[in-house]
Amino acid sequence: MSVSAPEIPAKTTSRFKWDLKTIGPLAALALLVLLGITLNENFLTYNNITNVLARSSFIGIIAIGATFVITAGGLDLSVGSMAAVIAGVMIMVMNWLIPVFGIGWGVILAGMAAGVLLGGVAGVGNGIMITRGRIEAFIVTLGTMGIFRSLVTFLADGGTLSLNFQVADVYRPVYYNGFLGVPYPILVFALVAIAGEVVMRRTAFGRHCAAIGSNEQVARYSSINVDNVRLITYILQGVLVAVAVLLYVPRLGSASSTTGVLWELEAIAAVIIGGTTLKGGYGRVWGTVAGVIILGLIGNILNLQSFISPYLNGAFQGVIIILAVLLQRPKRAS
Amino acid sequence: MADVQDTGVAPILSAHRISKSFGEIPVLFSIDFDIRPGEVHAIIGENGAGKSTLIKILSGIEQPTSGSIHYDGRSVVLPPDGKAEAMGIVLIHQELNLAEHLTVADSIFLGRELRQGPFLKVGEMRRRAAEIMETLHVHVDPDARISSLSVADKQMVEIAKAISRDARVLIMDEPTAVLSVGETQTLFEQIRRLTARGVSVVFISHKLDEIMELADRVTVLRDGQLIATVSTEALTPDSIAQMMVGRELSNLYPPKHEPDVDEPVLLSVRNLATKSVSDISFDLRKGEILGFAGLIGSGRTAVAEAIVGLTHRTAGEIQLNGQVVNFTRVAQSVEAGLAYMTKDRKGKGLLLNMGLRPNLTLLTLQKHMRAGFLDTASEERALERATRRFDIRARDASVAVGRLSGGNQQKLMLGKTMESEPDIIIMDEPTRGIDVGTKQQIYHIIAALAAEGKAVIVISSELQEVIGLSHRVVVMRSGRIAGVLEGAEITEEEIMRYAAGIKQSGHDERISA
């Protein structure tokens, strides 16, 4: 029935194939950088680049978690609201603990610990409902998205939760300072990205994620504990949301019901632009990193030029997302 | 050129010298077939004999490569996509094509709803549906959801649907495969009522006793050839079985080396039961190839999946090398040296979007870890070994496995299973849908594994294969072991008799060789 080209014994060559699928996100990134340079001489300055990357690092760290969730055939819509809740709770914990620890790093570390713990617990909650409860990931995380969003509004009593000013002063350098001129958020983003890429490519967990997303039955018949691997992806997502929040809180020192709005969609968009398949089975962390930076650069370039209204930012991002999927869709079998 | 047969009754639907090939693979060779008004005509044959293709051609779903179809005395080209229903030829699929969320009345009028302008005449359709059910003596509420009905009732709804379309020829693909004995009798009464009204019924069945009871004539197919069309009175179940098989064994199979009688029993199963099988007991010796034969749905796969812990076992005991084991996850059985190779290589065996390497090592990634990280070089070496050992052919290793030929996919899956270095291998349909050359390779691999001292279970719906490979054969029927054959008893006719329920043995005395 299927007439195939003459087959020769399998050879283990050509691990790198430079087709459009692989280089797409990088090519788009390069084009955007070129465009930026042509449009404004300030584009390539240290300040502009670090600014874009630092702002992108929140979404970036979250999107790396989303890469694992999506690769394993899942979805987490709750990350934006989860970020808001974690930020709110962190601020409240730090404010409460000032009488215990005084103003200083003790309070901040306690707040960070609370944040990471909460992120992990939220991930466990999502993951348990999806794996043990056998409910669609879309439904579960749509539900928790609403729950988290309303929780932060409740905790802030409809207003804003603000970190004690003195603590905020101590905490502020975590966002604004850096090491050897590289702001900490960018450093953390880079570390998470490298670790994520290694985990995806070089560990059994990463391989199992792709296997489950590709075909859950095959994974089950290949002795993979499908539920556990899925659960871990959601926990990882929760913890990475918390890590992003640790860097976000010192930036503004406050949280409200508008914190993290639409982050989930930006994160998913970055994952898709990066070439990860939305229905699972194939994921690449470096692609997600490129995707996040592409989304960040679009806004930045629109702000740096005067021909097109920056209000069209969302429209350009939308076009890029659709183009990315269009270019990466599988060719019809001939 | 209507082929009027001896009775002088003109057939309502007939096929003349019908041939069909899919691509280059021929599946039907010049078949003549006809159906008379008010007749029940059974089609019988082994798996792969071409039965399904023939009824698809008779109902217009497939077009013949050559040959002609006559309907009502005129040469016709049957329209595809079930549009032949409008002409009065209705095919009822084995898996039944009903939308689970619709009601019975909705289903009966699906696609030709009664309307008043843009609006449905709901009351009218419900009343008419009830009338049709009444004439068929079927007691199903027209407002009931399809999903709430039993399989037998769903089948009745399909029949009602056919009747509401004024079906003159009703073609049924294994209608009794999923029915209980009582439900089967109800269906048969229904079929008799229909034929009394002049409706013709064509049905495929594997159950010889049912055919003897219901059919007026039987057509036997084998390997895409028409063997005979005979009136049922002239037949016995034995003569049908003989017509269905009756081939010479070719030298496709390697010579058999029976294991010594004192070889240790590696796997011992006693009184195993699951939701779908019960009272399964057998032993498997070192170096033995044990065949599992039976009709599709007789529970062979369920037994295998229960043994390796893929499905829940409700009763029974499994011993591996004399130790009682209780696998609840596949990982445990793989660990213990027992591997199961699924029959569904595309749905359960291989990741079609991935390359050869990740597929080969998916079951055994732990073997390729160094300091917590995957050692790709070690995986590559494993792939090189497997490629040589199992002669896997691909343009290069990065090509998606879904693009390989079926034979290469099967060999890759075999390689994947063997990566876990099992002592006992259960192979479910190891040669399904692959070419004969690759089949032969796989047969020799299986024989070599047994000669090495592995114990192999081969589940297969191809009798030839079971007979050509196995030292002993377990025949299953309706979730139970119908018989265990060895030596000279292993013949197609004998297996068929057990599989179709003509013969039944207390198997207890023959659990072990």
Side-chain angles (χ1 to χ4, degrees):
Chain A
M1 278 180 271
S2 60
V3 181
S4 51
E7 290 170 317
I8 53 167
K11 271 191 303 189
T12 52
T13 48
S14 70
R15 200 179 300 165
F16 301 102
K17 277 213 264 175
W18 293 108
D19 54 11
L20 194 61
K21 256 179 149 170
T22 317
I23 60 163
L26 290 179
L29 195 55
L31 279 176
L32 276 176
V33 171
L34 279 177
L35 188 68
I37 295 170
T38 354
L39 286 174
N40 193 316
E41 71 270 19
N42 290 329
F43 176 78
L44 217 51
T45 57
Y46 165 80
N47 275 337
N48 188 51
I49 294 297
T50 49
N51 186 30
V52 169
L53 289 180
R55 281 156 168 267
S56 298
S57 47
F58 312 128
I59 298 290
I61 293 166
I62 293 172
I64 288 165
T67 309
F68 284 91
V69 171
I70 292 175
T71 300
L75 192 66
D76 192 343
L77 294 172
S78 70
V79 292
S81 309
M82 194 194 289
V85 167
I86 294 173
V89 170
M90 267 182 72
I91 288 169
M92 289 172 74
V93 166
M94 286 189 278
N95 286 345
W96 278 334
L97 289 180
I98 290 171
V100 185
F101 292 103
I103 308 291
W105 279 100
V107 157
I108 293 170
L109 288 176
M112 286 177 161
V116 171
L117 187 69
L118 183 59
V121 169
V124 170
N126 278 338
I128 290 282
M129 281 187 278
I130 291 162
T131 56
R132 306 293 195 269
R134 306 252 160 251
I135 314 173
E136 289 276 346
F138 185 94
I139 306 293
V140 168
T141 59
L142 188 67
T144 52
M145 174 170 98
I147 294 168
F148 293 149
R149 182 60 62 195
S150 123
L151 266 182
V152 73
T153 314
F154 167 75
L155 291 177
D157 207 11
T160 302
L161 287 162
S162 295
L163 184 58
N164 174 293
F165 282 118
Q166 287 160 300
V167 176
D169 275 343
V170 181
Y171 199 171
R172 188 180 301 275
V174 169
Y175 179 77
Y176 290 98
N177 286 15
F179 180 72
L180 297 174
V182 184
Y184 289 122
I186 301 179
L187 278 178
V188 175
F189 180 25
L191 284 177
V192 171
I194 292 167
E197 181 67 25
V198 169
V199 169
M200 185 68 93
R201 284 291 145 248
R202 289 282 174 267
T203 66
F205 172 72
R207 185 73 63 78
H208 288 173
C209 283
I212 291 170
S214 171
N215 187 330
E216 193 179 325
Q217 285 292 347
V218 174
R220 202 166 77 87
Y221 276 71
S222 303
S223 81
I224 295 169
N225 193 328
V226 174
D227 282 355
N228 277 6
V229 173
R230 280 238 163 99
L231 177 60
I232 292 170
T233 63
Y234 287 99
I235 298 173
L236 181 68
Q237 173 75 86
V239 168
L240 286 178
V241 169
V243 170
V245 171
L246 303 186
L247 303 165
Y248 176 79
V249 169
R251 183 175 169 219
L252 297 176
S254 67
S256 72
S257 60
T258 58
T259 301
V261 167
L262 291 185
W263 280 11
E264 61 282 337
L265 293 188
E266 281 194 51
I268 293 168
V271 172
I272 300 309
I273 293 172
T276 296
T277 333
L278 185 55
K279 62 178 170 43
Y282 175 73
R284 50 185 187 202
V285 172
W286 68 261
T288 299
V289 172
V292 169
I293 300 174
I294 287 170
L295 288 178
L297 282 181
I298 293 172
N300 180 250
I301 290 171
L302 284 173
N303 280 326
L304 288 177
Q305 54 79 52
S306 47
F307 318 113
I308 303 170
S309 164
Y311 294 138
L312 284 173
N313 184 6
F316 279 95
Q317 292 188 344
V319 169
I320 293 284
I321 295 166
I322 294 171
L323 270 182
V325 178
L326 201 65
L327 291 175
Q328 287 164 3
R329 85 197 143 156
K331 289 189 192 79
R332 274 167 184 259
S334 52
Chain B
M1 62 180 242
D3 186 11
V4 181
Q5 293 213 345
D6 45 312
T7 54
V9 183
I12 174 164
L13 178 66
S14 58
H16 302 277
R17 308 183 71 73
I18 290 284
S19 296
K20 176 73 182 173
S21 318
F22 291 106
E24 290 170 11
I25 301 170
V27 288
L28 285 183
F29 301 90
S30 194
I31 303 285
D32 282 317
F33 184 83
D34 67 287
I35 309 151
R36 299 170 190 154
E39 172 190 50
V40 179
H41 194 148
I43 302 177
I44 192 164
E46 281 186 87
N47 298 313
K51 308 180 298 281
S52 295
T53 310
L54 177 59
I55 61 167
K56 280 180 186 158
I57 289 172
L58 291 175
S59 54
I61 292 174
E62 300 275 3
Q63 295 301 322
T65 313
S66 66
S68 62
I69 306 265
H70 291 249
Y71 183 56
D72 240 355
R74 287 194 310 276
S75 176
V76 291
V77 173
L78 295 176
D81 305 329
K83 289 199 190 80
E85 285 190 6
M87 299 166 64
I89 302 172
V90 178
L91 172 63
I92 298 181
H93 295 269
Q94 187 178 2
E95 58 272 26
L96 304 177
N97 271 338
L98 291 169
E100 292 283 320
H101 298 288
L102 296 185
T103 68
V104 170
D106 291 345
S107 304
I108 289 176
F109 288 97
L110 188 63
R112 15 159 256 143
E113 292 80 1
L114 305 178
R115 275 181 298 187
Q116 179 109 59
F119 302 108
L120 294 176
K121 293 202 264 185
V122 178
E124 170 82 1
M125 285 194 285
R126 189 185 301 139
R127 198 178 52 71
R128 293 265 292 273
E131 271 173 25
I132 295 166
M133 303 306 252
E134 185 67 29
T135 62
L136 294 175
H137 303 265
V138 177
H139 306 289
V140 177
D141 178 5
D143 287 327
R145 301 254 165 230
I146 296 295
S147 54
S148 70
L149 301 183
S150 69
V151 182
D153 282 341
K154 286 181 191 174
Q155 213 166 41
M156 290 302 163
V157 172
E158 284 270 29
I159 292 173
K161 192 173 161 185
I163 296 305
S164 78
R165 283 154 168 71
D166 292 322
R168 299 172 62 195
V169 180
L170 193 60
I171 304 173
M172 305 178 88
D173 189 358
E174 288 204 61
T176 62
V178 286
L179 299 186
S180 68
V181 177
E183 289 167 339
T184 302
Q185 283 312 318
T186 315
L187 175 70
F188 284 4
E189 281 165 30
Q190 194 62 262
I191 289 177
R192 290 193 188 101
R193 268 197 289 275
L194 293 177
T195 49
R197 289 164 60 166
V199 177
S200 311
V201 176
V202 177
F203 80 103
I204 291 181
S205 177
H206 281 292
K207 301 182 184 167
L208 304 182
D209 46 345
E210 291 178 358
I211 288 172
M212 297 305 293
E213 179 184 342
L214 190 65
D216 299 310
R217 285 193 299 162
V218 180
T219 289
V220 183
L221 296 183
R222 188 203 305 154
D223 294 336
Q225 313 262 11
L226 174 70
I227 300 304
T229 296
V230 217
S231 126
T232 315
E233 296 107 62
L235 287 172
T236 63
D238 271 343
S239 62
I240 300 182
Q242 215 143 44
M243 278 196 277
M244 282 170 68
V245 290
R247 269 174 304 187
E248 294 289 317
L249 275 182
S250 61
N251 55 2
L252 202 55
Y253 303 93
K256 287 187 194 179
H257 296 288
E258 302 266 346
D260 291 341
V261 280
D262 58 348
E263 287 288 1
V265 171
L266 293 191
L267 174 70
S268 166
V269 175
R270 287 291 173 279
N271 305 318
L272 174 93
T274 71
K275 267 193 302 195
S276 54
V277 302
S278 55
D279 201 21
I280 303 296
S281 302
F282 65 88
D283 282 343
L284 178 65
R285 283 180 192 282
K286 189 165 187 278
E288 184 177 36
I289 302 175
L290 179 62
F292 263 67
L295 302 177
I296 289 166
S298 58
R300 297 163 299 169
T301 298
V303 169
E305 296 198 343
I307 292 173
V308 298
L310 273 163
T311 52
H312 180 65
R313 167 155 59 95
T314 52
E317 188 182 84
I318 296 167
Q319 287 189 6
L320 217 60
N321 301 313
Q323 303 280 313
V324 175
V325 291
N326 194 0
F327 304 131
T328 52
R329 292 190 295 115
V330 195
Q332 297 166 337
S333 78
V334 170
E335 181 88 351
L338 167 58
Y340 168 63
M341 187 171 85
T342 172
K343 64 183 167 188
D344 184 359
R345 60 175 175 259
K346 290 190 172 169
K348 292 169 180 163
L350 296 171
L351 298 169
L352 300 181
N353 66 329
M354 294 199 191
L356 273 64
R357 178 170 52 84
N359 268 294
L360 182 76
T361 56
L362 191 60
L363 188 62
T364 45
L365 275 184
Q366 292 312 319
K367 273 174 40 182
H368 306 285
M369 302 292 273
R370 209 167 52 191
F373 293 102
L374 288 177
D375 181 357
T376 321
S378 154
E379 286 185 76
E380 295 283 4
R381 285 195 296 275
L383 180 60
E384 263 170 52
R385 280 195 304 271
T387 315
R388 256 200 318 272
R389 180 174 175 198
F390 299 108
D391 188 36
I392 301 165
R393 286 158 185 270
R395 251 169 297 138
D396 66 76
S398 66
V399 68
V401 161
R403 304 180 66 115
L404 297 183
S405 69
N408 281 309
Q409 287 179 356
Q410 192 69 33
K411 288 191 274 187
L412 177 63
M413 195 163 75
L414 186 57
K416 170 185 169 180
T417 311
M418 295 313 296
E419 274 293 295
S420 68
E421 295 169 29
D423 301 317
I424 304 167
I425 312 116
I426 304 178
M427 300 187 188
D428 202 346
E429 305 285 1
T431 67
R432 179 142 95 180
I434 63 180
D435 62 278
V436 69
T438 311
K439 276 187 180 180
Q440 191 167 25
Q441 281 183 318
I442 288 180
Y443 296 149
H444 282 82
I445 291 168
I446 292 174
L449 290 173
E452 273 170 39
K454 314 263 187 217
V456 186
I457 290 178
V458 175
I459 300 174
S460 175
S461 297
E462 286 191 42
L463 288 182
Q464 291 287 318
E465 186 168 293
V466 172
I467 293 164
L469 285 172
S470 312
H471 302 135
R472 284 187 304 140
V473 176
V474 173
V475 186
M476 288 193 65
R477 175 181 147 82
S478 306
R480 289 170 179 274
I481 293 183
V484 181
L485 309 177
E486 48 192 289
E489 301 170 319
I490 305 179
T491 62
E492 297 201 28
E493 289 81 1
E494 193 70 3
I495 292 175
M496 258 303 163
R497 282 186 196 109
Y498 281 105
I502 300 165
K503 219 169 153 178
Q504 178 95 31
S505 79
H507 60 274
D508 296 327
E509 77 275 16
R510 285 212 254 171
I511 285 166
S512 51

